[in-house]
Amino acid sequence: MQISDDKKIQLLYRVEPGCLGPTGAQTIERFCDYANQQLVAPYFALYHFTPRFDKTKAEREYSINARLLSDQHAQAYLAHFKTNKDEFEEQLDELLTQAIESFLER
């Protein structure tokens, strides 16, 4: 099944520098570039990883075609694809953990 990018749910994921260890602040931008290239989203979604330097901003932000979604709307969109939001985020967290391990081993 194919969906145009403007109809896909987009997840902006702000990654904490600390997840990369004590030198995370120096490598977080390179890691986000790496994650953006390595992690493949499901056909109905797009991922974008960016450093989380501003703690006042949410860690995860959902949108469609640049329009922010409430938590309820994000859940409804994902439910349309028979996906639970919590499970969607857990799977992504697992992929992100694997990407961190691969990145740190390079």
Side-chain angles (χ1 to χ4, degrees):
M1 179 177 221
Q2 210 158 22
I3 299 173
S4 63
D5 285 354
D6 65 327
K7 303 272 191 266
K8 293 180 181 182
I9 193 166
Q10 299 172 14
L11 172 56
L12 173 63
Y13 195 118
R14 294 182 181 96
V15 183
E16 297 278 348
C19 72
L20 295 172
T23 61
Q26 290 84 25
T27 57
I28 190 67
E29 289 184 25
R30 281 184 300 165
F31 171 73
C32 288
D33 289 341
Y34 174 81
N36 284 324
Q37 294 172 4
Q38 298 297 316
L39 297 181
V40 178
Y43 72 94
F44 56 83
L46 296 170
Y47 299 147
H48 182 72
F49 301 95
T50 189
R52 186 177 187 200
F53 294 124
D54 183 350
K55 301 276 186 181
T56 64
K57 293 185 177 180
E59 183 178 25
R60 296 180 180 107
E61 200 171 87
Y62 290 91
S63 64
I64 295 177
N65 201 20
R67 192 177 123 236
L68 288 179
L69 298 178
S70 67
D71 202 43
Q72 185 178 22
H73 284 119
Q75 287 179 23
Y77 182 95
L78 292 170
H80 177 74
F81 293 97
K82 300 185 181 356
T83 301
N84 175 287
K85 184 175 173 279
D86 290 337
E87 291 173 9
F88 178 77
E89 291 179 352
E90 283 176 27
Q91 290 173 349
L92 177 56
D93 287 343
E94 288 177 25
L95 290 173
L96 196 59
T97 298
Q98 293 170 2
I100 289 168
E101 291 171 2
S102 295
F103 179 79
L104 293 176
E105 289 174 4
R106 297 183 335 154

